[in-house]
Each structure stands twice: as C-alpha cells, then as structure tokens.
Amino acid sequence: MTDSPANAKRLLYAGFTAILATGVGFAVRGGILDNWGAEFGFSATQLGVISGAGLTGFCFGIFVGGLVVDSLGYGKLIVASFLLHLLSAVVTFTATAGMDTAIAYQWLFWGTFIFALANGSLEAVANPLVATLFPENRTHYLNILHASWPLGLVLGGAVGWFLDDRMNVSWKAQLAIFLIPTIVYGIMFMGQRFPRSEAAEKGLKLGDMFKDVGLLGGIVIALMLFLFFQATFPAIPLWALAIAALALIFAIGKITSFALGSLMLFVLFLTHILVGAVELGTDGWIQNITGSILSSEEGKFLFVITSLTMFVLRFCAAWIEEHLKLSPVGLLLLCSVLAFAGLNFSSGIESFQGAVLALLIYGVGKTFFWPTMLAVVGDRFPRTGAIAISIMGGLGMMSGGLIGLPGLGYAKDRFASEALQEQAPAIYQEMKAVDTNSWLFFKPVAAIDGKKLAEARSQDIPSELQQTLIDASLQGDRKTLRVDSLIPATMALIFLGLLVYFRRLGGYRRIKLDE
C-alpha cells in the first residue's frame, strides 16, 4: 500500500490525541507522587510500584490488542479503551484521605493499572495504523504520532505546577484533567474507516505473522510476564509461574511450527526493554528528583522544558534523516550517547541554570528512542503486521513499570538510607520506615519514612536532624541518576553493533513484504 487514504491525517491526529491523554495522565501522576506519599505514608518503593502499574498494565492492552486488531477491527478496540479510561478515573478517585494505607494502595494501584490497560489498547491501534498509513516514511510519521507523548507531559507538568504548587488544588482535580483529551480522541475516531496492515491484506495467518517473533521473542515475552506476575501476585508459587511461562513459549512455538525467530528482532526486543526502563522510568521520577535537589516548582518547570523540547524535535525526524544523513540506527546511537551524558550531568546539578542545560541534553537524547525503534521494526519486519510493533511497545511499557519506575524508587530508598546510615546511624534508626522494601533479586532495604521526610522538607528552617535527613535523601537522588545513566550507555553499545552490521550489508534499508 503506497497511497494514503483520504482520512489519513485525521486518523493520525486522532491517534496523536489518544497518546496525548496518556502523556497528560502520566505527567500528572509523576507530579502528585509527593501528595500521595504525604497523604498515605507511602515509601518511594511503594510509589514506584503504583506508578509502575501505569506501564505494566499497558502491555496487556497492547499484547492482546496487537493480536486481535486486524481481525476484530480498530473501532471496537477504541471503544473499549475509552470505557477503560473512564473506569480508571472512578477507581483511582476512590482512594481518600484517612483511608487505611494498604487499602488506599490497592485502589491507586488498580486504578493506575486500568488506565494503563486503556493506553495499551489505544497504542495497539495507533502504532500499526500509522505504520500502515505512511509506509514510505514511517520514522517521520511515527515520531509525529509520538510527539503527543511529550506534549502530554508538558500539559500535565504545567497542570501540576499551576494547580499544585501555585493553587494547592487537590490531586484528584489535577488527575481529572486527562479526561479532556480522552473525550476529544473519542470524538475524532468516531465514524472513521480504517485500513488494514500490509500483512493482513496479503492474507497472512497469525502463525505466519509470528514467525519472525518465534521462540526467541517468546522467551522475552514470557520472562517479562513472569516478572510481572511475581511482583503483582507474590502469593502465586514460582513453580506455577514457571510452568505458565513455559506453556506460553510452547504455544508460540506451536503456532509458528517452532520457528526460532529473527535474532535481530530478539535483540531489538531486549533493547526496547532498556528504552522503556530509562525513558519511562526516568520520566516518572525526574520531577520528584530534581524537585528534591532544587524545589518542587523548579522540578516541574524543568520537566516541562525537556518535554517541550521532545515535542518540537519529534517533528524533525525526516529533516534529520535527509540532511544529517543519519539512518534510524545511527540516530538511536547518537541519542543513547546524549542520554548517558545528560543523566550524568543531571546528577551533579546545583543551580537551576545548570539543571536546564543537563536536562536539555538528556531530553534531546531520549526524544527519538521510542518511535524510531517502532519504525525500525516496521521497516525490517513487515511480515509481522501489527504484532511485532505491538509486542515492542508492550515490552517497553512493561519494562518501565517493572524495572524503570520501581527500580529507580528502590535505588532512591537504598542509596538514601545507606547515606543516612553512614552519616548518622542513630538518626536512621529513628527515621526509617517500619517495613522493608525489595526489588527483583536485590536485598531488602528499610527506607526513610516518607511522612517524616515530607515533614522535614516542609519546614522553612529545618532542624539539624531534619537537615541530615534531607541531605541523605539528596545524596540518594544524585547516585540514582548516575546509576540510571548506565542504561543508555549499554544501549549505545548495542546500537553501535547494529550500525556496523547494517554497514556490512550495504546500509540500512526498508524491506518490502514481497521480499
């Protein structure tokens, strides 16, 4: 398919608005983490897990949506997503002040999870739809589609800055703002006709579309789902989760005649897990971290600046390819280096001006990660239809929820508590939380109590004890950013290897399904 349908631009910008709603909700949640911590007494690890549900739930929507989108149709998935967005607001707003901490945690976790489920279903529509509408320039138009994400972050960050820091409006009123673009995208999609992917038009069966994913891709999917259920439902025995994971791998093998799958697609899946961890994990915590180092208002303002930079630059992907002669893989390599440098510079910020420079470098670096990775999969694996793109997006979001957000929350807790233990062991014993937090296979840590830390920060002139508490938390934030920078450093090595590989093949090029 080379000619775009007459309603191509309307469908593009309807998808743009849908992802905008996702970005607004994500940014507002990032800005109200301190509200939730102060109101319910959550630790940073608990807040990271709740925020992570805003990403892990996404994968279920996009995995299932990617499998059925060509047969069920885009319209039905959009209706389901719209209703789930409304339900997520109802569930989240059920958490009220004075409620038991454990109960409030469940309402906020599942409300966030349902929100993510809606987002995943929408992106299962938007990504393959745009890739199908504009097959000759996927990198450019997928970057335009995903420019709505940073725009949503800008709007959500501005909402937090004005309604929270300036007006002291309740967190519920702030979060309800995401319902506005939700209603708009519902109207824009209403009554539209949708194309089918090239693979669907050729009549390829599900097993044919899955062959490039194969057993290798199945292993990645099964591993991430194993980690999700282990973290979300700890009562389920590990042996039961292992059997379920093996059954999933076997099922994928069965429908693909046990095809091994593409090694390159396997590498891209693993790399996008890193993308999700660094981009979404950092986005979810960066307002909180920079707000702690500087001030809450300055943290939100910095978040808006970097997100606005992403929004503008994502309209420039085609210009970069044409004038700078960078292939999509070359662009990803450059972005990884910039993200590594920006996070390291951010860890040492002392002033607002220095923070602007550091976060701009990081913001430019992370700009093209997500949509360009999707474009590479669309270019190189057309036989997969909507499936590989949807799996890619799902793995990235699940990684952000399982690795990025809770991982950075755990890092903040661990590094801050270690700093306080080293500086003032007696104060640590007095200020630590009752329960310990753990993440993956790392050792449990007793974090600094969230309410006591919030109380110390609220003082105009904190006591010596409170200042010691604040200083330890800042040391933890700075070390967290330095550790976070190792993820784009690893990505840079992978993209360098891919760049060398493509050059040996004669250069990067798009593959047609007939090939």
Side-chain angles (χ1 to χ4, degrees), residues 63-97:
F63 281 166
V64 175
L67 292 176
V68 303
V69 67
D70 284 315
S71 58
L72 185 63
Y74 294 114
K76 293 178 182 178
L77 279 180
I78 291 167
V79 171
S81 302
F82 182 82
L83 295 176
L84 286 170
H85 267 143
L86 298 182
L87 178 61
S88 74
V90 173
V91 173
T92 303
F93 295 158
T94 303
T96 55

Side-chain angles (χ1 to χ4, degrees), residues 58 134 167 244 314 333 335 362 388 414 475 492:
F58 178 99
F134 306 99
M167 305 295 293
R314 281 189 171 173
L333 172 59
C335 287
Y362 166 69
R414 177 174 174 176
Q475 288 185 47

Side-chain angles (χ1 to χ4, degrees), residues 376-440:
V376 170
V377 170
D379 286 345
R380 300 294 301 183
F381 302 97
R383 180 171 64 173
T384 62
I387 289 175
I389 287 180
S390 296
I391 291 173
M392 175 79 83
L395 290 173
M397 281 290 186
M398 182 168 279
S399 170
L402 289 175
I403 300 174
L405 284 166
L408 291 180
Y410 170 84
K412 280 167 54 66
D413 281 342
R414 177 174 174 176
F415 297 145
S417 62
E418 287 177 349
L420 187 57
Q421 278 183 290
E422 183 178 341
Q423 295 171 14
I427 295 177
Y428 170 71
Q429 293 300 322
E430 180 182 349
M431 294 296 177
K432 71 178 183 179
V434 176
D435 298 323
T436 60
N437 296 308
S438 59
W439 175 68
L440 297 180

Side-chain angles (χ1 to χ4, degrees), residues 17 28 94 114-115 133 224 232 324 330 334 353 355 389 415 418 438 440 463 473 478 500 504 512:
T17 307
V28 172
T94 303
I114 295 170
F115 174 76
L133 290 170
M224 295 301 289
T232 309
L324 300 185
L334 175 62
Q353 292 78 9
I389 287 180
F415 297 145
E418 287 177 349
S438 59
L440 297 180
S463 66
S473 178
R478 294 184 188 279
V500 171
R504 288 183 175 180
K512 301 293 184 181

Side-chain angles (χ1 to χ4, degrees), residues 101-178:
T101 298
I103 296 175
Y105 176 88
Q106 292 298 324
W107 283 116
L108 294 176
F109 177 89
W110 288 111
T112 305
F113 183 87
I114 295 170
F115 174 76
L117 195 63
N119 299 337
S121 301
L122 278 174
E123 200 150 329
V125 172
N127 288 329
L129 177 61
V130 171
T132 300
L133 290 170
F134 306 99
E136 301 301 323
N137 204 354
R138 289 191 178 104
T139 300
H140 176 59
Y141 282 103
L142 280 168
N143 269 282
I144 289 179
L145 172 69
H146 285 273
S148 56
W149 170 260
L151 179 60
L153 301 185
V154 169
L155 296 177
V159 164
W161 169 72
F162 182 73
L163 296 183
D164 190 9
D165 294 306
R166 292 284 177 163
M167 305 295 293
N168 292 317
V169 173
S170 72
W171 63 264
K172 292 183 180 180
Q174 296 177 53
L175 193 55
I177 298 296
F178 91 89

Side-chain angles (χ1 to χ4, degrees), residues 2 10 38 53 61 69 86 91 124 161 172 182 204-205 221 241 243 248 277-278 316 329 344 350 379 415 420 441:
T2 56
R10 172 162 177 162
V69 67
L86 298 182
V91 173
W161 169 72
K172 292 183 180 180
T182 297
L204 294 185
K205 296 180 180 179
I221 298 168
L241 294 177
I243 290 175
L248 176 60
V278 70
C316 303
V329 176
N344 270 287
E350 298 288 350
D379 286 345
F415 297 145
L420 187 57
F441 51 82

